[in-house]
Amino acid sequence: MLQPLVMCIGEAWRVASLSIDRLDARLLVQHVAGCTHVDLLVRPERALSTDQLARLWVLVKRRSDGEPLAYLVNSAAFYALEFLVTPAVLIPRPETELLVELAIERLQPLKAPRIVDLGTGCGVLAVTLKYLRSAAIVSAVDLSPAALEVARINAARHAVEVNFLAGDWYAPLGGARFDLIVANPPYVEYADPHLQQNGLPFEPLMALSDGISGGDGLACVRAIVVGAAGHLLPDGWLLIEHGYNQAARVRDLLWSAGFSKVASWPDLSKVERVSGGCLY
Ligand code: GLN
């Protein structure tokens, strides 16, 4: 599409809205122009430079090709905090906020709880928990060095101290034990057609699926549940996010691993999304 070289932000918003969702169009205009929603409404005649306009059309094209908005603006909100997001990490989902709430409830009686976030990605769980409970001692593990780089930036952005470790689930933790293990691991079945939809092809497959063809998607969940006994302090909790149809199977895994108080909790869509238990 041939575009004029000069345009104001209001007109750019209108034109961008012809090919992508109107809200996405607005957020992309704000991103390239460095302006706010209010600017767009009260000063729509503000000009965009040729450079800004060129960047905008590239982003609009990427969005219309299905790339998630969070990767285009390198940002996503989680628990009212703003996080750097790049294609090296899974985009934080609102349902994962349930895990934060459940974690905070269980940490209440502890003065300086020891927490580990397994498969931290961009760091939302580790950073948010440390932000909310500043006396906590928080570690976070990820297999991807690129993801850990993003997570470190997010910890710095929110001025919290998290001990980031590279490696496979419990491997880099040695004999360390924790009051709470949280995880949002890859759990989408490798054959699930959702992996081809809604922008998921743009996200790192290693953050979405265990990659085992013909499997049930639970290989990582199983590794985390089975390894927990070696890394929980007495009365420690494991809280783990899983797929919409996996709650009963995850509870079975927890019971088999010796957990008590095993339960699942629904997200805002009333889908059982997090399961957990306590090890005495
Ligand atoms: N909830 C994500 C989705 O369905 C998957 C996140 C994950 O695998 N941990 O797209």
Side-chain angles (χ1 to χ4, degrees):
M1 178 170 41
L2 203 60
Q3 298 290 352
L5 290 175
V6 183
M7 210 181 255
C8 64
I9 52 176
E11 181 64 0
W13 181 14
R14 190 190 67 77
V15 175
S17 303
L18 299 174
S19 49
I20 60 172
D21 173 81
R22 192 171 149 79
L23 170 62
D24 290 354
R26 172 166 74 72
L27 294 171
L28 289 181
V29 171
Q30 288 175 204
H31 177 68
V32 298
C35 70
T36 63
H37 190 188
V38 173
D39 293 328
L40 261 166
L41 298 176
V42 303
R43 285 191 54 208
E45 71 286 356
R46 186 170 138 178
L48 282 165
S49 71
T50 316
D51 203 45
Q52 287 171 323
L53 211 46
R55 277 175 55 217
L56 176 64
W57 302 135
V58 169
L59 294 177
V60 168
K61 170 76 169 62
R62 284 169 63 186
R63 183 70 196 104
S64 73
D65 289 343
E67 193 165 342
L69 189 86
Y71 289 152
L72 303 179
V73 299
N74 293 122
S75 168
F78 182 84
Y79 219 87
L81 297 176
E82 197 272 323
F83 286 85
L84 169 69
V85 168
T86 76
V89 298
L90 189 84
I91 298 164
R93 311 285 207 263
E95 54 267 32
T96 305
E97 294 178 347
L98 168 64
L99 235 166
V100 173
E101 268 154 35
L102 293 165
I104 291 296
E105 262 171 47
R106 273 147 199 83
L107 297 173
Q108 215 87 62
L110 304 172
K111 261 212 186 91
R114 309 184 81 89
I115 305 169
V116 65
D117 172 16
L118 298 177
T120 193
C122 73
V124 278
L125 288 173
V127 170
T128 307
L129 289 173
K130 177 69 182 171
Y131 185 87
L132 296 171
R133 283 295 310 268
S134 54
I137 300 151
V138 182
S139 300
V141 175
D142 208 287
L143 191 56
S144 157
L148 284 175
E149 246 174 74
V150 175
R152 278 198 185 92
I153 293 170
N154 282 321
R157 189 173 279 192
H158 296 294
V160 299
E161 198 182 310
V162 174
N163 176 27
F164 289 107
L165 301 158
D168 197 11
W169 307 128
Y170 298 100
L173 295 171
R177 288 185 180 261
F178 302 87
D179 296 296
L180 174 70
I181 298 170
V182 290
N184 174 18
Y187 53 68
V188 182
E189 251 180 64
Y190 193 57
D192 190 327
H194 288 109
L195 286 176
Q196 313 309 325
Q197 299 163 13
N198 296 326
L200 266 64
F202 291 90
E203 298 190 83
L205 185 60
M206 71 175 284
L208 286 164
S209 172
D210 58 20
I212 299 173
S213 123
D216 60 3
L218 290 168
C220 302
V221 173
R222 230 172 258 120
I224 290 168
V225 171
V226 168
H231 293 277
L232 280 175
L233 290 162
D235 293 334
W237 274 84
L238 168 64
L239 292 169
I240 190 160
E241 180 175 320
H242 49 69
Y244 69 97
N245 57 358
Q246 294 171 335
R249 282 175 284 163
V250 177
R251 287 194 301 270
D252 281 344
L253 289 173
L254 289 162
W255 278 313
S256 308
F259 279 87
S260 315
K261 300 187 185 171
V262 172
S264 301
W265 297 269
D267 62 19
L268 291 173
S269 314
K270 301 197 164 42
V271 173
E272 285 183 320
R273 180 59 67 183
V274 174
S275 293
C278 172
L279 265 189
Y280 292 120

